[in-house]
Amino acid sequence: MIPGKGLAQGLGVTLRSMTKRSVTQEYPHVRPELPPRSRGVIALLEENCTSCMLCARECPDWCIYIDSHKETIPPQKEGGRERTRNVLDRFAIDYALCMYCGICIEVCPFDALFWSPEFEYAEGDILGLTHERDRLRDWMPTVPAPPADVPNAEPAKEVVGGGPARAARNVPPRARQAAEGDAESAPNDGSPP
């Protein structure tokens, strides 16, 4: 055994690493390039939310808090009946509990929740990690555009939203083409003309 051999080997490793170029990104000064469609935070498209509570019920961590009230809408035509609808009062996500599984986004039938790549939302106090709907709404512009459409695929939910386009997906092809004025070239799928 040569005395100091281990010390010399350790210093050799240190000298070799000191002469190589650093690959570390200095995070606060240089923002990292994230992979496309990264999961950061959950953004809320508030006008699509109907307070159906499906996201809160399916959340395995119970970190989504929704409060709403019913509002009566007067009839649109004379002699019609009044309608009721849910009005969203509070929509909050506690990111101290959230495990970023994405179940809430998948089960939302009205496409009100989306993944945003934003990840800089650290807080000094754990109570500050419960983000209300104002903050969730502010992340909506950061949601990336959907990937290019595959031929014959259903449109991306970020593009069509939860309105009439969603209802049009359930229409048989013949009825859809007839509505578009192309009834002769529509394939016969068994539905009456």
Side-chain angles (χ1 to χ4, degrees):
M1 289 206 125
I2 303 172
K5 180 180 175 189
L7 178 65
Q9 286 178 337
L11 288 174
V13 170
T14 303
L15 287 173
R16 275 195 307 268
S17 64
M18 285 177 56
T19 58
K20 289 182 182 176
R21 184 182 167 128
S22 175
V23 294
T24 304
Q25 292 181 347
E26 300 296 327
Y27 163 64
H29 306 294
V30 179
R31 281 188 60 103
E33 288 190 31
L34 299 173
R37 313 294 290 169
S38 294
R39 290 183 178 190
V41 293
I42 298 168
L44 172 68
L45 185 59
E46 194 173 341
E47 51 269 12
N48 284 1
C49 183
T50 61
S51 305
C52 67
M53 306 285 202
L54 195 56
C55 56
R57 281 183 293 191
E58 294 295 326
C59 179
D61 292 331
W62 293 82
C63 65
I64 299 175
Y65 310 110
I66 301 175
D67 292 329
S68 65
H69 69 275
K70 292 201 182 278
E71 189 175 87
T72 304
I73 302 171
Q76 293 177 348
K77 296 179 183 177
E78 179 126 0
R81 67 182 180 103
E82 293 181 336
R83 307 262 180 192
T84 59
R85 70 177 180 122
N86 289 333
V87 177
L88 187 64
D89 293 329
R90 179 180 186 223
F91 192 104
I93 299 176
D94 187 353
Y95 285 104
L97 297 174
C98 182
M99 65 178 182
Y100 303 91
C101 63
I103 292 174
C104 57
I105 295 171
E106 295 298 322
V107 300
C108 181
F110 300 103
D111 301 330
L113 299 173
F114 298 92
W115 280 117
S116 170
E118 292 296 316
F119 60 92
E120 299 174 315
Y121 54 93
E123 298 286 339
D125 183 17
I126 197 168
L127 296 176
L129 285 173
T130 301
H131 295 174
E132 299 292 331
R133 66 180 178 174
D134 300 337
R135 185 125 186 232
L136 299 174
R137 185 184 330 119
D138 292 342
W139 281 319
M140 198 59 209
T142 64
V143 172
D149 283 339
V150 176
N152 298 328
E154 111 178 22
K157 69 179 186 175
E158 293 93 342
V159 175
V160 297
R166 187 180 246 314
R169 290 186 216 159
N170 297 329
V171 177
R174 181 167 176 81
R176 188 181 313 121
Q177 288 179 350
E180 294 170 358
D182 194 14
E184 284 77 15
S185 64
N188 187 0
D189 60 355
S191 60

